[in-house]
Amino acid sequence: MAYTALYRKWRPPVFDDVKGQDPIVSALRNQIKTGRIGHAYLFCGTRGTGKTSVAKIFARAVNCENPDRGNPCNVCKSCIAVNEGNSVNVIELDAASNNGVDDVREIREEVRYAPTEGNYKVFIIDEVHMLSNSAFNALLKTLEEPPSHAIFILATTEMHKLPITVLSRCQRYDFRRISSEVIARRLKELTDGEGVAIEERALRYIARKADGSLRDSISLLDQCIAFHFDETLTYQGVLEVLGAVSYDLFGELLSSVLEQRARDCIGLIDEIVMQGRELSQLVSDFIWYLRNLMLLKATNMDPDALEVSEEDMAALIAMSKRVSEAALIRYIRIFSDLSAKIRNVTDKRVLLEITFINLMHPENENSLDAVLSRIEMLENKLKNGFVPANNQHQEDYDDGLFDMYGDEMGTSVQGAGQMEETVEISRSQMDIYNVLKNSWSTFAKQAQSHLAEMVFRETYPEPGSGDNQFLAVMTNPVKANLVEPSTIAEMVRAIKAVSGIDCDLRFVCREVTQKAKNFTTAEEVSTIFDFPVEEVTD
């Protein structure tokens, strides 16, 4: 005997077995019990939510010889004929492949004849939105005033594609997505009936993976059972069959991002690829993992609401203490963008690796949440007593001086690092400077000033001063504008609004001159900055 797929074998035979659609089931049963049966019904909803199953139960119930509380008996001659597909009173049409006006004309011809047995002829048109405009027009009159023995049931996943003239002639029922909890209970009934041993964690994962579709969940379960036949179906086994990744691995990936361990992160991605996991699915599941972390941190939700096991919940709680809400929102935004792109690229792995590396470097972005992430990273470093290496400190300062002078003067500044011997720049001041340096464009937009954008491009720590003292360096033509108090206040407000840093800006002017070679003394620095030498700490 040919094998029957589980979703067909376990199709609900009566209204009592329909899961997750209680309001619709109650309404249809009451109509059958009271005899107040309409002539046209429209069943809307996403795939796998029970539209066709309810339509077939309803078609059996209206002609059943021994109905029970609105349910068909499934043992009378009429019910058996419908179940076997031999009934002349139930006509099914797949509008996806039979969408022309001639197909609708056949229905109109069939409607004219009364049923040979039973009370009603039921016409079930699946995927009705696929009918052509001419087919809809041919159906309208019959749909509005059919004979008393005719019932139309239209099913669709895309209700918005139906003409308003059709919608107004039908009783509309919206089938909602089924919750993971309801799906898990139904899958438990199914596995018990089939004699399949399965872990609770695996059952819950399949239920969540189905995304509100009971039929999809049963199809996934059928696939997993076939792969692990006569074995206990474990959580790890389900992940292998479906090409998914466990929460433990997601935690390792996020830890490598938070700790900026790029090599470990790339190694984990390589491991995932070698295991044959689907990278598009990895992105979707990682977004869900980040979403659960965000909800847990923001609302302290319980495991049932998050639809995770107790084991996964403990790992989520531990991870939520290590990452901020702002960072999670940034990660979700980045991976949501990746989800839209990765399906259409040839080398998904490269795009995924680039995305994870970008997570570790918010300085590559100009968005507000990236700026907040950079500030958070800086605060954590300062809180933990972070002290940059001397060579890193020197290179950062060299790069800043080169940005100031190199392009405009065309002179060598390779010896600029020697300034550290004569001019003191505190390490805290340098850390704050690095935050500001990477956020010029954001500050400028906040200040809403072209002048602000120019100033921020050339703002540097003031040698020998406090941690929050900075020099805004400009050339002579705009010197008069820089000394305005309103300008200073505008800059300071912009920095404070975006970064939370209180700065004391002092405006100085510099000449474009050849005297700037090899800044090794305080006197030469003061020549360029145009302020008295005694203000520089040697």
Side-chain angles (χ1 to χ4, degrees):
M1 182 177 180
Y3 175 73
T4 303
L6 289 181
Y7 81 87
R8 294 179 58 197
K9 182 179 179 180
W10 288 83
R11 189 186 292 273
V14 294
F15 285 123
D16 292 342
D17 291 332
V18 176
K19 306 298 181 181
Q21 308 297 347
D22 294 343
I24 296 174
V25 167
S26 297
L28 295 178
R29 290 176 65 173
N30 288 336
Q31 289 189 16
I32 294 172
K33 288 189 290 186
T34 61
R36 299 172 62 87
I37 299 174
H39 68 276
Y41 298 85
L42 176 62
F43 292 169
C44 312
T46 57
R47 69 192 189 285
T49 51
K51 300 184 296 297
T52 304
S53 296
V54 170
K56 291 184 176 181
I57 295 172
F58 188 82
R60 292 196 300 273
V62 294
N63 284 321
C64 181
E65 298 173 6
N66 305 298
D68 178 22
R69 297 176 292 111
N71 286 317
C73 69
N74 289 317
V75 295
C76 68
K77 182 179 178 180
S78 175
C79 288
I80 292 174
V82 175
N83 284 332
E84 294 179 350
N86 299 325
S87 175
V88 295
N89 290 339
V90 178
I91 297 93
E92 294 187 55
L93 177 69
D94 178 21
S97 54
N98 303 279
N99 54 13
V101 65
D102 292 336
D103 299 304
V104 173
R105 284 172 180 162
E106 290 181 10
I107 293 178
R108 292 177 58 185
E109 289 297 319
E110 191 70 33
V111 167
R112 295 167 52 191
Y113 302 102
T116 55
E117 53 186 34
N119 300 319
Y120 296 98
K121 272 193 171 182
V122 183
F123 298 85
I124 301 175
I125 305 179
D126 204 5
E127 301 297 338
V128 68
H129 63 274
M130 299 292 287
L131 289 179
S132 63
N133 289 333
S134 56
F136 273 123
N137 292 333
L139 182 63
L140 281 178
K141 189 62 178 179
T142 303
L143 196 62
E144 182 177 21
E145 298 178 356
S148 59
H149 60 262
I151 299 174
F152 286 90
I153 303 178
L154 313 180
T156 179
T157 56
E158 301 184 47
M159 182 272 302
H160 59 280
K161 292 186 177 181
L162 270 62
I164 188 66
T165 49
V166 171
L167 296 175
S168 63
R169 288 167 168 81
C170 302
Q171 292 185 28
R172 173 178 165 181
Y173 294 91
D174 291 302
F175 285 68
R176 60 191 179 188
R177 291 178 184 268
I178 305 173
S179 69
S180 297
E181 183 180 356
V182 172
I183 293 177
R185 287 202 300 266
R186 180 59 174 170
L187 292 181
K188 182 62 176 174
E189 295 174 5
L190 190 154
T191 52
D192 290 345
E194 292 290 319
V196 175
I198 183 171
E199 290 182 354
E200 179 69 21
R201 190 181 181 192
L203 203 66
R204 284 184 170 273
Y205 180 80
I206 294 175
R208 180 175 63 81
K209 184 74 173 172
D211 193 26
S213 170
L214 183 56
R215 183 180 65 231
D216 285 5
S217 71
I218 297 176
S219 295
L220 292 174
L221 178 64
D222 203 355
Q223 179 181 350
C224 294
I225 292 173
F227 195 88
H228 294 279
F229 190 70
D230 275 347
E231 300 176 9
T232 298
L233 195 53
T234 64
Y235 175 67
Q236 194 61 40
V238 168
L239 294 179
E240 291 175 0
V241 175
L242 302 183
V245 176
S246 68
Y247 262 39
D248 295 338
L249 195 52
F250 286 145
E252 292 180 32
L253 281 170
L254 186 55
S255 293
S256 66
V257 170
L258 296 176
E259 298 168 12
Q260 295 194 321
R261 294 183 282 110
R263 177 176 296 181
D264 293 344
C265 184
I266 298 303
L268 288 171
I269 294 174
D270 181 69
E271 179 182 336
I272 292 169
V273 172
M274 290 300 102
Q275 291 175 356
R277 302 297 197 246
E278 172 54 45
L279 296 186
S280 298
Q281 187 59 52
L282 167 67
V283 172
S284 299
D285 288 348
F286 192 62
I287 292 174
W288 191 265
Y289 171 78
L290 295 172
R291 171 258 187 193
N292 284 345
L293 273 176
M294 181 183 66
L295 293 182
L296 178 63
K297 197 168 184 67
T299 64
N300 198 26
M301 299 178 72
D302 56 38
D304 291 335
L306 291 178
E307 300 176 354
V308 299
S309 65
E310 293 183 3
E311 181 182 349
D312 289 339
M313 189 65 179
L316 282 174
I317 292 173
M319 181 59 71
S320 67
K321 297 176 181 179
R322 300 178 55 192
V323 59
S324 68
E325 290 182 37
L328 287 171
I329 292 172
R330 173 175 169 259
Y331 297 162
I332 291 173
R333 175 183 59 79
I334 291 174
F335 269 85
S336 296
D337 293 341
L338 175 63
S339 180
K341 298 175 183 176
I342 198 169
R343 303 180 191 279
N344 301 318
V345 299
T346 303
D347 200 332
K348 299 179 181 180
R349 175 175 177 170
V350 173
L351 192 59
L352 181 64
E353 290 172 341
I354 291 173
T355 301
F356 269 104
I357 291 175
N358 281 338
L359 291 184
M360 305 178 198
H361 297 283
E363 65 270 16
N364 295 337
E365 300 179 57
N366 290 324
S367 61
L368 179 58
D369 54 352
V371 173
L372 295 176
S373 295
R374 295 199 291 269
I375 295 170
E376 181 189 6
M377 290 171 59
L378 175 60
E379 290 175 343
N380 290 336
K381 288 179 179 179
L382 296 176
K383 185 186 302 182
N384 297 329
F386 171 77
V387 178
N390 289 335
N391 61 339
Q392 176 187 350
H393 172 69
Q394 178 171 315
E395 287 171 4
D396 286 343
Y397 196 68
D398 288 349
D399 290 342
L401 287 174
F402 183 80
D403 290 340
M404 287 177 63
Y405 307 114
D407 290 341
E408 292 190 17
M409 298 184 182
T411 59
S412 171
V413 293
Q414 293 177 356
Q418 300 176 26
M419 272 188 63
E420 205 163 352
E421 299 177 1
T422 56
V423 179
E424 180 183 356
I425 300 293
S426 73
R427 286 171 179 172
S428 297
Q429 189 178 18
M430 181 59 70
D431 286 335
I432 295 174
Y433 159 66
N434 285 331
V435 173
L436 300 179
K437 180 182 70 173
N438 293 319
S439 308
W440 289 168
S441 60
T442 305
F443 297 151
K445 292 175 184 176
Q446 185 76 16
Q448 296 180 341
S449 167
H450 177 64
L451 179 60
E453 184 175 5
M454 295 169 62
V455 170
F456 285 133
R457 273 204 294 263
E458 296 198 62
T459 303
Y460 295 91
E462 183 170 0
S465 61
D467 288 348
N468 290 2
Q469 304 292 315
F470 293 89
L471 297 175
V473 184
M474 298 301 294
T475 52
N476 271 332
V478 291
K479 181 176 179 180
N481 295 326
L482 296 178
V483 296
E484 292 293 333
S486 60
T487 302
I488 300 175
E490 183 181 20
M491 309 300 139
V492 172
R493 281 196 302 270
I495 295 175
K496 175 70 173 178
V498 176
S499 68
I501 297 174
D502 284 313
C503 286
D504 184 6
L505 292 179
R506 188 161 69 88
F507 293 91
V508 294
C509 181
R510 63 175 170 82
E511 297 283 345
V512 179
T513 173
Q514 292 295 328
K515 296 180 180 180
K517 292 188 289 184
N518 298 326
F519 310 112
T520 57
T521 65
E523 289 81 4
E524 290 178 350
V525 173
S526 67
T527 301
I528 300 304
F529 283 132
D530 193 22
F531 59 85
V533 66
E534 55 267 22
E535 294 188 20
V536 179
T537 302
D538 288 337

